[in-house]
């Protein structure tokens, strides 16, 4: 007897399939499953907003509730993409509003978000709950006021590292008295003053508040009052952390912090008085995430003393003024460490505050669970990288940045090929890699040979010939994003396997050897690839000579036509 | 027996131990060699002329660049500094200094003239702590010192004798040298 599983049952089973990859796979099995999957899909991830249009998205997933959308290419973070390149939220919101999509969650990265979009968003979706903006721009606190005022069921407003025009209005006061649903509020990136009394009242009427990240304008005594109201917090970002440690206010803070036994994640310290850090010690043993990467005022003993209390730390973000010795303290204290990010505190300085290969070796020896690294350093050696590869075979993300981009191994004066080679050979699960230092084609041979799981690769000032790029394109079967700047890779590498780019999200090449003619050839052969040539925003004229080298090329796969919002300095072939 | 005594403020910890920056000096030598010698393997050398002119390097996102480097609003620890014989007080930011020797250098700079004008005097740096006691600077670790120091005074050693201040090894050595 044949058993027929009815659609409702399949749909119910699909409820348990949550990862995007799995749902994508499931939809490919047969027409019936495709149909069931698309009607039941609520969460969608779009890694490149120009790979599809809002209309197509809505047509396929009418039940959409939660969307993650990314706009500008990664190198836009480093000023390599001119302003106004694109990535506008507006058409998406307009389309969702028009089609009565029941949007509840929106997470955006590197998008241009206008106040008008925010206002439309706030008024169009009754059940809207969560807005997360990462590295976005284009909006002001007026847009935030609209969100606060109109989203009746808002649970999450999370602003991470956005460029926001702060009109110093009373956006925070726009949360109505009836709003008691907040779970997460992060406004650390806002520059202006906020209404402290309104903030206190808001926190007081938000019993579910678990995450609170304040901006610089919130003083320490207000922090104390907020903590009194919200001892249930899991995640805290302090604002200004400056006070006189002999004052009554500071003592009260100490007492309030001690009651916050649930805090697992701590950040902020945008302004910091090292003498006041002792108040934090009682909760340090509970911390799993500590972000001191904006705490420029914290260094030396005050910094290491704090870290010595944090023995359960899994993720640590710090500035390089911690020094190699300080990293040694981390290595001996934080045995559970999985992720370390060391940011430069003085990128053009004479190396007064910097870390070297020594700090990294100490970390690798002391923290065997390390799987994710971002490390800006003065120098690196092959020997150190080989040791690190041996000590930590579990890296998923390995991003190394020498402050001098073509610096060789200072001990041997050799390129860092062998060191990075050891990393890719040892770390079989490596998904993301960023290279720096003096590098020849050899490192790319290793990457192509060993980095089987690699999905994202960032290359700058490296390599000697097209062979380098070809090793990567031919070898890394799972490659999704490749970004290259200032490398001698040219047409032969670009055109060798044009089909490869349809298996990837995007390719960025700037200041390389690729010519206009080759880009045209590529665009002709592959209609589903968008090949964008980007000039600097003050240069509208494109040089039409096929032999002319292209300054910036961004290519991405897409199932729709050319985008219509491209500015004049962008030429889509 | 007139000796030209050099007035020297020494704020080292009893028993010596100055801060060493040798490692950093080694680095700057190494990186100088690299800048002069090494060939960069691509054609964009014009971009490498000066590190600070390479667009987008180091790859730190612009938000972070604007908010974490050289934070001028870092905490300040200003304390008053008086010097015997000087007509007015000064203020010094303890947070700007890495240790006692650094502080000594700053005080010398600040009061240089007055120090030189004083006739054959030695000076002793003392400070008032949280409890209101006057202490000789240099006994406790630097971090502890800056936490507890409320004001500084550069005092003539001669005056210090009647002041109940503990003598450090330096002043003891200096005394024996004189005699």
């Amino acid at each position: 007897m044949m058993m027929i599983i009815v659609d409702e049952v399949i749909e119910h089973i699909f409820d348990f399939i949550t990862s995007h990859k799995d749902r994508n796979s499931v939809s490919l099995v047969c027409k019936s499953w495709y149909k069931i999957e698309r009607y039941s899909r609520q969460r969608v991830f779009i890694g490149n907003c120009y790979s599809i249009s809002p209309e197509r998205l809505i047509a396929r997933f009418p039940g959409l509730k939660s969307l993650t959308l990314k706009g500008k290419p990664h190198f836009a973070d480093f000023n390599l993409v001119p302003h106004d390149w694109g990535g506008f939220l507006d058409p998406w919101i307009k389309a969702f509003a028009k089609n009565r999509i029941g949007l509840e969650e929106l997470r955006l990265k590197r998008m241009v978000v206008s106040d008008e979009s925010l206002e439309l968003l706030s008024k169009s979706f009754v059940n809207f709950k969560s807005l997360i903006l990462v590295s976005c721009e284009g909006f002001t606190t007026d847009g935030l006021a609209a969100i606060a005022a109109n989203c009746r069921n808002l649970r999450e407003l999370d602003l991470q590292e956005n460029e926001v025009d702060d009109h110093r209005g009373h956006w925070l006061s726009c949360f109505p008295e009836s709003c008691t649903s907040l779970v997460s509020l992060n406004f650390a990136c806002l520059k202006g003053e906020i209404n402290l009394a309104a903030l206190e009242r808001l926190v007081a009427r938000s019993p579910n508040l678990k995450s609170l990240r304040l901006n610089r304008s919130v003083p320490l005594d207000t922090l104390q009052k907020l903590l009194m109201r919200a001892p249930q917090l899991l995640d805290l970002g302090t604002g200004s952390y400056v006070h006189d440690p002999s004052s009554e206010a500071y003592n009260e803070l100490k007492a309030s912090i001690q009651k916050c036994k649930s805090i697992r994640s701590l950040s902020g310290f945008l302004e910091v008085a090292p003498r006041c850090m002792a108040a934090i010690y009682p909760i340090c043993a509970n911390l799993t995430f500590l972000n001191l990467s904006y705490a420029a005022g914290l260094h030396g003993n005050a910094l290491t003393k704090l870290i010595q209390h944090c023995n359960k730390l899994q993720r640590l973000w710090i500035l390089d003024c911690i020094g190699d010795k300080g990293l040694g303290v981390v290595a001996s204290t934080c045995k559970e460490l999985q992720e370390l990010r060391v940011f430069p505190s003085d990128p053009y300085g004479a190396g007064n505050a910097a870390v070297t290969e020594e700090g990294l070796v100490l970390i690798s020896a002391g923290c065997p669970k390390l799987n994710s690294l971002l490390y800006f350093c003065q120098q690196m050696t092959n020997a150190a990288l080989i040791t690190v590869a041996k000590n930590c075979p579990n890296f998923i993300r390995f991003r190394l940045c020498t402050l001098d981009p073509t610096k060789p191994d200072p001990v041997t004066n050799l390129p860092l090929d062998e060191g990075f080679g050891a990393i890719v050979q040892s770390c079989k699960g490596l998904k993301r890699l960023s290279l720096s230092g003096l590098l020849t084609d050899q490192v790319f041979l290793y990457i192509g040979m060993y980095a089987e799981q690699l999905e994202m690769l960032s290359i700058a000032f490296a390599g000697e010939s097209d062979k380098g790029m070809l090793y990567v394109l031919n070898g890394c079967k799972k490659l999704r994003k490749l970004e290259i700047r200032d490398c001698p890779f040219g047409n032969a590498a670009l055109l060798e396997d044009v089909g490869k780019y349809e298996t990837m999200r995007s390719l960025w090449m700037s200041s390389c050897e690729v010519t206009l003619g080759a880009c045209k050839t590529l665009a002709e052969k592959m209609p589903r690839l968008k090949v964008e040539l980007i000039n600097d925003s003050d240069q509208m004229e494109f040089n039409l000579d096929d032999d002319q080298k292209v300054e910036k090329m961004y290519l991405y796969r897409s199932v729709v036509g050319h985008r219509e919002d491209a500015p004049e300095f962008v030429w889509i072939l | 027996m007139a000796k030209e005594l050099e007035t020297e403020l020494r704020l080292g910890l009893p028993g010596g131990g100055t801060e060493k920056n040798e490692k950093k000096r080694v680095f700057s030598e190494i990186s100088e060699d690299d800048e002069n010698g090494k060939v960069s393997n691509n054609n964009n050398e014009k971009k490498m002329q000066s590190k600070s002119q390479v667009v987008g390097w180091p790859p730190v996102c612009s938000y972070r660049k604007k908010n974490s480097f050289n934070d001028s609003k870092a905490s300040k620890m200003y304390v008053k500094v008086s010097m015997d014989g000087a007509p007015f007080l000064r203020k010094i930011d303890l947070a700007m200094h890495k240790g006692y020797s650094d502080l000594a250098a700053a005080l010398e700079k600040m009061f240089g003239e007055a120090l030189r004008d004083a006739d054959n005097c030695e000076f002793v740096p003392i400070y008032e702590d949280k409890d209101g006691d006057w202490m000789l600077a240099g006994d406790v670790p630097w971090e502890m010192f800056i936490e507890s120091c409320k004001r500084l005074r550069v005092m003539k050693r001669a005056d210090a004798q009647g002041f109940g201040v503990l003598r450090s090894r330096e002043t003891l050595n200096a005394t024996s040298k004189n005699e």
Side-chain angles (χ1 to χ4, degrees):
Chain A
M1 193 172 105
M2 191 167 68
M3 184 145 88
I4 299 170
I5 305 178
V6 293
D7 286 0
E8 283 87 355
V9 176
I10 296 181
E11 194 181 318
H12 185 61
I13 296 174
F14 285 1
D15 277 348
F16 295 96
I17 302 174
T18 49
S19 97
H20 296 294
K21 257 179 85 181
D22 289 343
R23 292 217 75 144
N24 293 347
S25 305
V26 142
S27 67
L28 292 173
V29 167
C30 63
K31 281 204 180 120
S32 167
W33 281 32
Y34 176 87
K35 191 168 148 209
I36 298 170
E37 197 282 318
R38 68 177 262 253
Y39 281 112
S40 64
R41 176 100 85 148
Q42 294 183 345
R43 321 183 77 85
V44 176
F45 171 88
I46 296 177
N48 172 9
C49 65
Y50 291 120
S51 61
I52 190 155
S53 69
E55 290 74 25
R56 287 276 295 265
L57 176 69
I58 292 165
R60 181 165 170 193
F61 301 118
L64 179 69
K65 287 199 175 136
S66 165
L67 177 65
T68 300
L69 199 50
K70 296 189 181 181
K72 298 185 196 178
H74 177 229
F75 275 359
D77 282 352
F78 318 131
N79 296 328
L80 291 180
V81 176
H83 202 53
D84 292 341
W85 169 86
F88 304 106
L89 175 66
D90 205 55
W92 296 86
I93 299 297
K94 285 207 169 96
F96 293 156
K98 186 164 151 208
N99 290 276
R100 300 184 205 287
I101 294 293
L103 195 67
E104 294 183 13
E105 295 174 4
L106 188 61
R107 190 193 156 107
L108 305 175
K109 189 166 187 180
R110 281 188 219 103
M111 301 269 313
V112 177
V113 177
S114 66
D115 284 345
E116 290 73 30
S117 303
L118 289 177
E119 190 168 346
L120 183 59
L121 168 67
S122 73
K123 291 180 176 159
S124 308
F125 312 110
V126 165
N127 290 323
F128 193 76
K129 294 193 177 71
S130 163
L131 181 63
I132 304 177
L133 303 178
V134 181
S135 299
C136 296
E137 53 167 345
F139 60 103
T140 77
T141 43
D142 294 346
L144 299 178
I147 297 286
N150 303 325
C151 298
R152 302 282 163 82
N153 295 306
L154 195 68
R155 292 205 195 138
E156 184 168 21
L157 178 59
D158 185 357
L159 307 171
Q160 298 176 29
E161 304 193 344
N162 303 289
E163 301 282 356
V164 185
D165 217 344
D166 199 320
H167 288 172
R168 286 162 177 74
H170 296 283
W171 68 273
L172 204 75
S173 317
C174 292
F175 281 105
E177 289 303 312
S178 55
C179 172
T180 57
S181 49
L182 272 182
V183 173
S184 168
L185 178 63
N186 172 7
F187 58 94
C189 63
L190 295 185
K191 303 286 195 310
E193 307 283 312
I194 52 142
N195 186 329
L196 298 177
L199 176 60
E200 282 180 53
R201 286 195 305 271
L202 180 61
V203 170
R205 66 176 185 275
S206 303
N208 298 322
L209 194 67
K210 292 286 187 290
S211 168
L212 179 63
R213 297 192 185 187
L214 311 169
N215 78 346
R216 214 182 252 260
S217 74
V218 180
L220 195 135
D221 48 359
T222 305
L223 173 63
Q224 184 270 324
K225 293 190 193 127
L226 296 172
L227 292 180
M228 276 254 287
R229 305 276 193 194
Q232 77 282 2
L233 283 179
L234 299 180
D235 168 34
L236 173 66
T238 69
S240 170
Y241 196 76
V242 177
H243 220 292
D244 179 356
S246 59
S247 68
E248 192 52 40
Y250 178 71
N251 286 330
E252 280 174 15
L253 177 71
K254 266 168 94 166
S256 297
I257 289 184
Q258 285 192 336
K259 297 209 180 83
C260 298
K261 300 200 187 297
S262 307
I263 293 181
R264 297 282 171 273
S265 160
L266 188 60
S267 61
F269 304 101
L270 311 168
E271 279 180 357
V272 56
R275 296 183 280 176
C276 294
M277 294 312 286
I280 305 284
Y281 295 164
I283 57 165
C284 284
N286 298 329
L287 293 180
T288 56
F289 177 39
L290 180 60
N291 180 356
L292 299 174
S293 64
Y294 288 102
L298 199 59
H299 36 73
N301 281 350
L303 178 55
T304 44
K305 246 205 230 164
L306 178 68
I307 289 177
Q308 276 169 330
H309 286 84
C310 304
N311 55 343
K312 297 248 183 61
L313 224 47
Q314 294 173 13
R315 297 166 61 210
L316 176 63
W317 294 17
I318 34 168
L319 291 171
D320 62 1
C321 47
I322 192 173
D324 288 331
K325 280 222 191 83
L327 288 177
V329 173
V330 174
S332 38
T333 310
C334 309
K335 295 304 182 187
E336 303 298 311
L337 199 68
Q338 295 176 27
E339 175 179 325
L340 175 67
R341 296 195 191 189
V342 182
F343 294 95
S345 53
D346 184 16
Y348 309 126
N352 280 330
V355 293
T356 71
E357 76 280 6
E358 290 184 19
L360 186 59
V361 169
L362 289 173
I363 291 283
S364 73
C367 310
K369 294 186 183 179
L370 199 65
N371 62 39
S372 175
L373 180 75
L374 173 60
Y375 197 74
F376 286 82
C377 56
Q378 183 74 5
Q379 60 181 52
M380 185 50 57
T381 65
N382 284 310
L385 285 173
I386 291 168
T387 304
V388 169
K390 225 186 308 188
N391 291 339
C392 297
N394 299 317
F395 275 116
I396 301 173
R397 271 171 246 110
F398 192 88
R399 296 156 68 189
L400 192 86
C401 176
T402 53
L403 294 177
D404 172 357
T406 55
K407 196 176 171 84
D409 179 329
V411 174
T412 62
N413 271 333
L414 292 174
L416 292 179
D417 300 333
E418 297 305 310
F420 280 107
I423 294 288
V424 293
Q425 198 177 357
S426 164
C427 304
K428 312 234 185 289
L430 193 68
K431 286 190 180 170
R432 182 170 180 182
L433 178 63
S434 298
L435 308 169
S436 65
L438 187 65
L439 296 163
T440 71
D441 285 345
Q442 185 72 4
V443 72
F444 300 111
L445 173 71
Y446 291 139
I447 292 172
M449 225 194 303
Y450 295 114
E452 290 174 12
Q453 302 301 320
L454 195 66
E455 295 179 6
M456 181 171 178
L457 179 61
S458 308
I459 311 171
F461 302 100
E464 300 158 297
S465 74
D466 284 340
K467 277 203 273 184
M469 185 167 163
L470 284 170
Y471 289 140
V472 171
L473 290 175
N474 292 333
C476 300
K477 301 296 178 205
K478 297 209 175 163
L479 196 63
R480 292 190 297 114
K481 286 180 281 181
L482 180 58
E483 45 187 27
I484 306 172
R485 62 164 292 185
D486 296 274
C487 296
F489 304 143
N491 299 339
L494 182 69
L495 295 176
E496 161 110 348
D497 177 11
V498 292
K500 170 80 176 172
Y501 306 123
E502 275 197 359
T503 69
M504 292 167 54
R505 183 189 301 173
S506 64
L507 168 68
W508 169 281
M509 289 182 79
S510 60
S511 304
C512 296
E513 304 289 314
V514 168
T515 67
L516 174 59
C519 293
K520 280 183 183 169
T521 307
L522 177 56
E524 259 174 52
K525 285 191 181 171
M526 307 293 295
R528 285 193 302 190
L529 289 182
K530 301 287 170 274
V531 182
E532 289 196 10
L533 304 183
I534 303 170
N535 266 353
D536 288 321
S537 49
D538 52 2
Q539 271 182 278
M540 305 304 178
E541 292 289 310
F542 280 90
N543 190 319
L544 299 175
D545 179 6
D546 275 3
D547 289 332
Q548 182 71 15
K549 280 188 212 167
V550 161
E551 192 47 41
K552 293 174 189 167
M553 181 201 74
Y554 179 50
L555 86 81
Y556 50 89
R557 65 182 175 189
S558 171
V559 295
V560 291
H562 287 2
R563 65 184 175 111
E564 281 161 10
D565 60 4
E568 278 180 20
F569 55 83
V570 171
W571 179 11
I572 307 179
L573 296 175
Chain B
M1 247 183 10
K3 276 189 202 158
E4 197 77 62
L5 283 176
E6 291 216 65
T7 50
E8 183 193 24
L9 283 174
R10 293 204 278 140
L11 297 174
L13 293 172
T18 49
E19 279 144 83
K20 294 200 172 86
N21 280 331
E22 264 155 51
K23 189 168 190 184
K24 283 147 195 169
R25 262 178 260 134
V26 167
F27 283 174
S28 59
E29 274 161 14
I30 289 177
S31 47
E32 254 171 30
D33 281 345
D34 287 340
E35 273 171 36
N36 293 336
K38 299 307 159 232
V39 175
S40 84
N41 277 338
N42 60 65
N43 326 0
N44 295 306
E45 278 182 23
K46 61 175 157 63
K47 291 210 175 130
M48 292 300 298
Q49 259 158 18
S50 159
K51 273 180 257 177
S52 60
Q53 282 171 20
V54 176
V55 173
W57 198 271
V60 177
C61 74
S62 21
Y63 174 86
R64 186 172 282 283
K65 267 208 190 122
K66 288 177 197 165
N67 288 284
S68 69
F69 298 144
N70 301 321
D71 184 15
S72 55
K73 286 222 196 118
S75 64
K76 310 263 184 229
M77 278 186 221
Y78 280 105
V79 296
K80 288 185 194 169
V81 190
S82 59
M83 186 183 132
D84 292 355
F88 45 78
L89 276 61
R90 299 293 300 271
K91 265 212 162 154
I92 196 165
D93 182 1
L94 295 177
M96 290 299 291
H97 302 283
K98 302 196 185 94
Y100 288 111
S101 42
D102 206 3
L103 176 63
L107 289 176
E108 273 186 43
K109 221 170 159 188
M110 206 178 249
F111 292 111
E113 261 184 54
L115 285 170
R116 284 191 291 277
D117 285 345
D119 38 1
N120 293 344
C121 257
E122 268 185 73
F123 288 83
V124 163
I126 60 173
Y127 70 101
E128 183 184 17
D129 73 358
K130 276 191 293 214
D131 301 323
D133 296 323
W134 283 93
M135 314 288 293
L136 182 70
D139 286 331
V140 301
W142 175 254
E143 314 302 320
M144 204 186 287
F145 164 71
I146 59 178
E147 248 186 66
S148 46
C149 171
K150 290 215 99 98
R151 55 185 299 168
L152 269 169
R153 181 173 160 192
V154 180
M155 182 182 231
K156 285 185 192 166
R157 198 185 73 77
D159 292 338
Q161 265 154 355
F163 214 34
V165 173
L166 296 168
R167 294 166 139 213
S168 76
R169 243 173 267 168
E170 279 105 321
T171 54
L172 284 172
N173 286 341
T175 316
S176 55
K177 208 174 23 168
N178 288 345
E179 283 158 6

